[in-house]
Amino acid sequence: MATKSEHPPEQLDRVVIRFAGDSGDGMQLTGDRFTTSSALLGNDLATFPDFPAEIRAPAGTLAGVSAFQVHISDHDILTPGDAPNVLVAMNPAALRANIGVLPKGATVVVNVDAFDERSLTKAGYEANPLTDGSLSSYSVYEVPMTSITQEVCKEAGVKPRDAERSKNFFALGLVSWLYTRPTEPTVGWIAKRFADRPQVAEANTRAFRAGFDFGETTELFESHYEVRAAPFEPGEYVQVTGNQALAWGLIAAARQAGLPLFLGSYPITPASDILHELSRRKEFGVRTFQAEDEIAGVGAALGAAFGGALGVTTTSGPGLDLKSETIGLAINLELPLVIIDVQRGGPSTGLPTKTEQADLLHAMYGRHGEAPIPIVAAMTPSHCFDAAIEATRLAVTYRTPVILLSDGYLANGAEPWKLPNLDALPVIEPGFATGPNHTADDGTQTFWPYERDERTLARPWAPPGVAGLEHRIGGLEKAAGTGNVSYDPANHEKMVRIRAAKISGISTDIAPVVVDDEHGDATVLVLGWGSTFGAIAAGVRRVRARGLSVAHAHLTHLNPFPANLGDVLARYQQVLVPEVNLGQLSRLVRAEFLVDAHSLNQVRGTPFRAAEIEAAILSLMEAP
Amino acid sequence: MTTTAVPLTTRKDWTSDQEVRWCPGCGDYSILAAVQMLMPDLGVRRENTVFISGIGCAARFPYYMSTYGMHSIHGRAPAIATGLATTRPDLDVWVVTGDGDALSIGGNHLIHALRRNVKMTILMFNNQIYGLTKGQYSPTSEVAKVTKSTPFGSLDTPFNPVSLALGAEASFVARTHDMDRAHMQETFRRAHAHAGAAFVEVYQNCNVFNDGAFEKITSRDARSSMLIPLEHGQPIRFGADGERGVVQRADGRLEIVDVSEVGEDSLLVHDEARDDPGLAFALSRLARGPFEPTPIGVFRAVERPEYGAEMARQVVQAQERRGVGDLAALLRSGSSWTVG
């Protein structure tokens, strides 16, 4: 066989690859490794892991298909790509589940060994798509991944059944060759990851190399490709997922506030990885508490906050339901508390592993009584780091629970992140009470737990341990100042209004919303929040590439809104609000600013495609 | 933490300026008095003492103590106390709760705090009724109880709180009652000294909605014949002259007997430190309700690792092994690359 190594690779500016297989085939790992080698090569990238809620749905069925989409490029990109250019399908079900999103002309690499009659039937194929001509508009490459993997592993003394499990590394090796990825990082990673199981390490390494060599030495592929490094700003970069950045952001926030971090949490998809990551980091003084339920998770966090710690709880929608009562208590106690909701499809159990933005109104209004709460939302996986610090800053400064909204897409999606200058992170000042703050009529100095700071309207934070500051707080209405139980109607009215004013006053302490309006002549503003940032920005670029003007503003503070938002909205003739829900921010801005916002909604469990945003903007421009 | 001597205090120093608002004649008054009078004897500081409660009549307790305190939400006090106790091992954390708060809406938090053995002293006032919501049956009410919500009689089998706590792996379980200040104080003192989660059931009379629920065993006349004091290392006997006692039959059953018939040497000797909770459980089932001779005192007191201390140990070990956390290094814990 002739080697093709003398052929230089063809240059591509970007490519979107989707790895798909059974839940047990290791597709998430394969995608993750490909992503890491691409990050080390200097590509810009964005990923979209897409997997079922079942750990092992019946093998070979459509329900069990797990996929990982990665977009790599030599320029700045914003989304994991609307549609894949390449699909790697490990079995017929993976092909069938994903062929619908593949544009004509795309490349399909299949594990031909898995296309036996039984597997075809399980996937619902009546005829073999590899032979019936139904794939004629794609470039299809049939590769015997299973059998070659078994063959090369046999020499290492691995049984065929065990060897079969390494076929994902064969696929990774093949695609690594196809896109000219270096092999060393993956080989090194395998050695480290499977250090305690040398035979598995050997099998995976052999399969990986066999996949790479297969591409190199067979005549099957006409060419291979290269996606060069993107021109990043100078600096040091790492690849992060949203959940990882969020966990690190909490550690950073505790450091900035000089407080010990306490996480009370109950396992729930897709938030559990934050609990996992923080429980590995005890050297930072982090205490993680896996509670008996969601209510105990937030309760313990609130108890820790009473004691002077940074109390945090992490959850997803169903857990947020259960935490509502405790959040209301925290509003009344006026103690700092950070509640992280990694949103997923709802209602009820809904779509545990799919993304959605439908908890905004829940975060805003999901408590009895007048119970205002600041809401912060993360825009991108790496922005979760900043969002965690910002949520903590507001919680500690204003002695209030804060809800931080992330979602399944951000939680599991990865991107390159330029490491922040740690010296420039905001300083958070807990400002614990140290002594009396009130002079009684008779001149004695006393401590009033509900005396307020004039600027922030925050009450003192006085953890137990200081003599003279002993006080009792609770869920019953508190008398302004003394904090004693009060059923007085006028006092209640006063306290309700103070709590509202304290939260709305935060609008002057947050960054104004920044409008991206290239030439300042746009008439249409796209207003987004949270994880739609990438898709909206990419859609806006597409519209601008047509020579048209359109503006984009993106909110990370949902309550209160930035102080300039009303003025910004008033400057545009039309406002488009894309959301992965049925129109929640659009209701809020309509109610708050009397603006005729147009909603663009989808709830498929996936992020918006840039093309959808583009189409909606164009259609709004054509409308009178 | 300060190392100066704990100042001498009196009951007054532990009493807040808030007017106590329980119904006149409520058993809660005597429990509050017992606690306020005990505190000066415990050698603890007011500023390091925290009372946490949920919802219900008993839950108003923290407002009347001049310590730190939190009146929280229904059933959640053990969860909130867990977060406080594990992050602030320097504090004395007390949980005051009732039968509805602890065993109904908050049952899950109670059993988990007990099994984890978080350092907290839990006082559960059991009056076998819902008082603050005006007289519905509770999870400790006897079967067939007629209340506003059960006009035809309640159907539920009640919890035996001591049995429940023992079943939840509690390391300290005791029972006392609101008619005997000395016994309450001794029991609370033991509970407070326990290095872990301590559970104390306090029989408490609700004179408005369930008056006399414990009268058959706690009234002055009945006590000697109806209360069985448990004393560690002592034969279990009761009666004005210690004429009755408890024996264990060959099949494991406990039985109340006349000491004169079996002889003192046959009596069961109480061992609160027994690793196996089986005998303590059997003692908790000796009476079918507060109308038969009922054991009071410490059923079980065993040593077990305390949750917060174990949590702190893991932090210290991680810091010894890896050094104190360095954020810059953490952010580079995966692969990093440099541009430009």
Side-chain angles (χ1 to χ4, degrees):
Chain A
M1 262 187 272
T3 76
K4 295 195 293 184
S5 52
E6 63 270 18
H7 297 304
E10 285 181 32
Q11 297 299 317
L12 292 177
D13 64 339
R14 60 179 206 98
V15 67
V16 179
I17 304 166
R18 194 169 172 90
F19 297 93
D22 244 342
S23 303
D25 280 348
M27 290 298 100
Q28 300 304 317
L29 182 77
T30 307
D32 195 51
R33 291 320 305 164
F34 187 84
T35 303
T36 300
S37 343
S38 300
L40 294 175
L41 266 185
N43 294 134
D44 195 5
L45 58 88
T47 72
F48 175 46
D50 186 12
F51 46 88
E54 292 76 17
I55 304 302
R56 294 272 193 278
T61 63
L62 290 178
V65 174
S66 171
F68 187 103
Q69 185 165 312
V70 53
H71 184 181
I72 57 173
S73 79
D74 68 359
H75 58 278
D76 161 35
I77 51 164
L78 298 154
T79 75
D82 282 7
N85 308 107
V86 182
L87 171 67
V88 178
M90 301 302 286
N91 66 15
L95 177 66
R96 187 142 190 253
N98 289 286
I99 197 76
V101 298
L102 226 55
K104 303 292 174 207
T107 298
V108 180
V109 181
V110 299
N111 174 20
V112 70
D113 291 334
F115 281 67
D116 56 75
E117 207 172 308
R118 197 161 154 264
S119 304
L120 288 164
T121 309
K122 263 197 203 168
Y125 279 118
E126 285 174 13
N128 188 341
L130 301 179
T131 54
D132 70 358
S134 61
L135 300 178
S136 58
S137 50
Y138 305 101
S139 304
V140 180
Y141 298 93
E142 299 178 20
V143 183
M145 298 188 196
T146 309
S147 46
I148 300 179
T149 301
Q150 285 172 336
E151 190 59 33
V152 296
C153 288
K154 197 158 81 182
E155 296 156 22
V158 181
K159 290 189 201 108
R161 215 185 145 78
D162 294 336
E164 193 262 342
R165 305 228 305 255
S166 295
K167 65 180 183 297
N168 60 323
F169 281 95
F170 181 96
L172 178 61
L174 178 58
V175 179
S176 296
W177 170 80
L178 199 53
Y179 291 98
T180 328
R181 309 285 100 175
T183 54
E184 301 78 31
T186 299
V187 171
W189 179 87
I190 291 172
K192 209 171 138 191
R193 174 73 173 75
F194 300 101
D196 53 341
R197 284 172 292 169
Q199 207 176 39
V200 176
E202 179 67 19
N204 287 339
T205 306
R206 280 171 178 258
F208 176 71
R209 289 198 190 285
F212 195 92
D213 294 348
F214 181 88
E216 177 98 353
T217 55
T218 64
E219 295 287 338
L220 190 61
F221 294 90
E222 297 81 22
S223 52
H224 65 138
Y225 306 93
E226 184 171 17
V227 179
R228 291 201 173 141
F232 283 107
E233 276 179 53
E236 192 176 2
Y237 287 78
V238 296
Q239 173 199 331
V240 281
T241 65
N243 274 347
Q244 198 172 28
L246 221 161
W248 293 354
L250 290 170
I251 290 174
R255 169 192 189 253
Q256 294 309 105
L259 297 175
L261 176 58
F262 179 92
L263 175 71
S265 184
Y266 188 77
I268 186 168
T269 303
S272 301
D273 280 341
I274 305 171
L275 167 63
H276 302 161
E277 177 64 20
L278 286 175
S279 52
R280 295 169 61 203
R281 305 299 178 192
K282 296 201 190 302
E283 68 271 24
F284 286 88
V286 177
R287 283 173 168 78
T288 54
F289 171 62
Q290 183 179 315
E292 59 271 23
D293 59 28
E294 296 280 1
I295 299 171
V298 67
L302 183 59
F306 183 56
L310 173 58
V312 180
T313 190
T314 48
T315 191
S316 187
L320 189 63
D321 294 351
L322 289 165
K323 294 181 198 296
S324 298
E325 190 191 12
T326 311
I327 297 171
L329 174 65
I331 288 172
N332 227 36
L333 298 181
E334 301 191 43
L335 282 173
L337 180 68
V338 176
I339 301 113
I340 291 155
D341 174 17
V342 185
Q343 301 164 96
R344 64 191 218 187
S348 189
T349 312
L351 301 173
T353 60
K354 309 294 178 188
T355 197
E356 208 161 273
Q357 291 187 294
D359 295 354
L360 174 58
L361 293 182
H362 183 192
M364 188 78 187
Y365 297 121
R367 294 160 297 281
H368 68 277
E370 294 289 349
I373 193 170
I375 303 169
V376 174
M379 297 195 294
T380 66
S382 65
H383 182 249
C384 288
F385 182 85
D386 304 308
I389 297 174
E390 176 66 354
T392 303
R393 182 184 73 86
L394 296 179
V396 170
T397 307
Y398 293 89
R399 321 304 201 204
T400 178
V402 174
I403 293 179
L404 166 51
L405 294 175
S406 175
D407 60 33
Y409 167 56
L410 296 180
N412 295 313
E415 66 174 357
W417 177 38
K418 186 184 168 192
L419 290 179
N421 175 5
L422 298 183
D423 296 332
L425 296 180
V427 173
I428 301 169
E429 186 45 68
F432 291 132
T434 52
N437 60 355
H438 182 80
T439 308
D441 292 343
D442 65 2
T444 53
Q445 298 285 301
T446 57
F447 177 66
W448 275 18
Y450 281 75
E451 189 88 329
R452 290 176 192 279
D453 179 270
E454 279 177 25
R455 185 182 67 83
T456 61
L457 297 181
R459 76 173 192 90
W461 188 8
V466 181
L469 304 191
E470 293 88 354
H471 64 283
R472 279 65 57 192
I473 54 179
L476 285 171
E477 185 60 280
K478 295 286 163 277
T482 65
N484 289 327
V485 174
S486 169
Y487 302 113
D488 176 55
N491 176 73
H492 178 57
E493 170 118 20
K494 182 176 179 179
M495 291 296 278
V496 167
R497 291 184 187 279
I498 287 176
R499 285 188 289 262
K502 181 177 82 168
I503 302 308
S504 64
I506 292 173
S507 65
T508 59
D509 187 22
I510 56 180
V513 65
V514 176
V515 185
D516 170 20
D517 185 350
E518 216 177 6
H519 307 299
D521 60 349
T523 58
V524 172
L525 172 73
V526 187
L527 179 69
W529 71 276
S531 71
T532 52
F533 174 78
I536 293 176
V540 162
R541 276 187 194 172
R542 286 171 177 230
V543 172
R544 287 177 183 165
R546 295 167 181 265
L548 300 168
S549 283
V550 60
H552 176 198
H554 214 79
L555 294 174
T556 55
H557 290 92
L558 282 308
N559 192 43
F561 288 131
N564 67 331
L565 182 59
D567 292 342
V568 165
L569 293 174
R571 292 211 299 268
Y572 293 89
Q573 288 171 22
Q574 308 206 71
V575 177
L576 176 69
V577 186
E579 296 178 83
V580 188
N581 60 43
L582 294 188
Q584 300 197 1
L585 174 63
S586 67
R587 278 168 203 257
L588 293 177
V589 295
R590 277 168 168 262
E592 182 88 12
F593 304 110
L594 294 174
V595 58
D596 182 21
H598 299 265
S599 255
L600 172 64
N601 312 113
Q602 63 87 9
V603 282
R604 295 182 304 253
T606 56
F608 271 110
R609 291 191 276 267
E612 292 174 292
I613 305 286
E614 177 191 23
I617 297 170
L618 293 175
S619 131
L620 202 59
M621 284 175 165
E622 282 159 21
Chain B
M1 258 195 298
T2 169
T3 52
T4 54
V6 175
L8 291 176
T9 54
T10 64
R11 175 183 179 180
K12 194 163 163 281
D13 296 307
W14 294 86
T15 306
S16 80
D17 61 359
Q18 296 297 293
E19 183 195 351
V20 183
R21 292 190 186 168
W22 287 311
C23 306
C26 176
D28 288 356
Y29 282 96
S30 68
I31 307 173
L32 176 64
V35 172
Q36 287 173 338
M37 292 161 83
L38 172 68
M39 298 309 290
D41 289 347
L42 292 182
V44 295
R45 291 171 180 278
R46 213 170 57 172
E47 65 268 24
N48 290 340
T49 303
V50 185
F51 280 83
I52 295 185
S53 64
I55 293 292
C57 294
R60 300 299 174 99
F61 199 96
Y63 289 125
Y64 310 136
M65 298 295 297
S66 61
T67 62
Y68 285 88
M70 188 197 294
H71 175 216
S72 75
I73 42 178
H74 210 4
R76 317 303 171 201
I80 291 167
T82 294
L84 181 62
T86 52
T87 48
R88 291 292 305 274
D90 56 316
L91 302 177
D92 268 340
V93 179
W94 299 71
V95 168
V96 178
T97 180
D99 41 317
D101 193 57
L103 303 181
S104 200
I105 193 165
N108 200 30
H109 307 307
L110 176 72
I111 58 175
H112 287 275
L114 293 177
R115 81 169 165 95
R116 290 192 187 103
N117 205 34
V118 185
K119 173 86 182 79
M120 61 177 81
T121 312
I122 303 170
L123 310 183
M124 195 205 80
F125 303 180
N126 181 11
N127 55 20
Q128 302 190 342
I129 199 77
Y130 279 73
L132 200 60
T133 50
K134 300 189 178 172
Q136 300 82 10
Y137 77 116
S138 92
T140 54
S141 297
E142 65 277 15
V143 177
K145 185 150 192 86
V146 174
T147 71
K148 277 184 195 152
S149 61
T150 51
F152 300 100
S154 63
L155 304 173
D156 322 22
T157 298
F159 270 136
N160 176 327
V162 169
S163 299
L164 184 85
L166 290 167
E169 306 291 344
S171 58
F172 184 98
V173 183
R175 179 189 286 144
T176 184
H177 68 96
D178 62 0
M179 298 291 284
D180 186 343
R181 180 179 299 154
H183 192 267
M184 273 194 285
Q185 289 184 330
E186 182 50 29
T187 309
F188 298 162
R189 186 196 308 274
R190 289 282 318 276
H192 170 262
H194 181 68
F199 176 82
V200 182
E201 177 187 26
V202 188
Y203 283 158
Q204 173 250 325
N205 190 43
C206 172
N207 58 317
V208 173
F209 295 108
N210 201 19
D211 195 23
F214 305 101
E215 202 172 8
K216 285 197 178 82
I217 60 171
T218 62
S219 69
R220 205 162 286 281
D221 298 343
R223 271 181 230 170
S224 67
S225 59
M226 296 298 277
L227 292 178
I228 309 173
L230 299 176
E231 286 168 51
H232 181 59
Q234 298 297 317
I236 302 174
R237 58 194 299 176
F238 62 108
D241 303 309
E243 70 277 12
R244 308 191 75 196
V246 175
V247 294
Q248 185 170 28
R249 297 299 187 194
D251 63 0
R253 218 160 24 91
L254 300 189
E255 200 176 322
I256 292 170
V257 294
D258 288 335
V259 179
S260 58
E261 283 177 21
V262 298
E264 188 177 340
D265 291 349
S266 305
L267 293 181
L268 180 65
V269 174
H270 183 51
D271 179 5
E272 64 188 26
R274 260 172 85 114
D275 188 46
D276 173 10
L279 205 53
F281 189 83
L283 279 169
S284 76
R285 318 294 290 179
L286 199 58
R288 288 167 298 165
F291 49 85
E292 293 180 335
T294 300
I296 59 167
V298 178
F299 286 73
R300 177 172 171 78
V302 295
E303 279 179 37
R304 204 144 64 70
E306 193 275 320
Y307 192 78
E310 292 295 291
M311 209 183 237
R313 181 179 58 75
Q314 288 193 337
V315 168
V316 169
Q317 281 178 348
Q319 290 177 336
E320 282 170 0
R321 207 165 53 239
R322 303 181 201 161
V324 174
D326 172 1
L327 182 59
L330 172 65
L331 301 188
R332 290 166 180 81
S333 56
S335 309
S336 74
W337 67 95
T338 301
V339 176

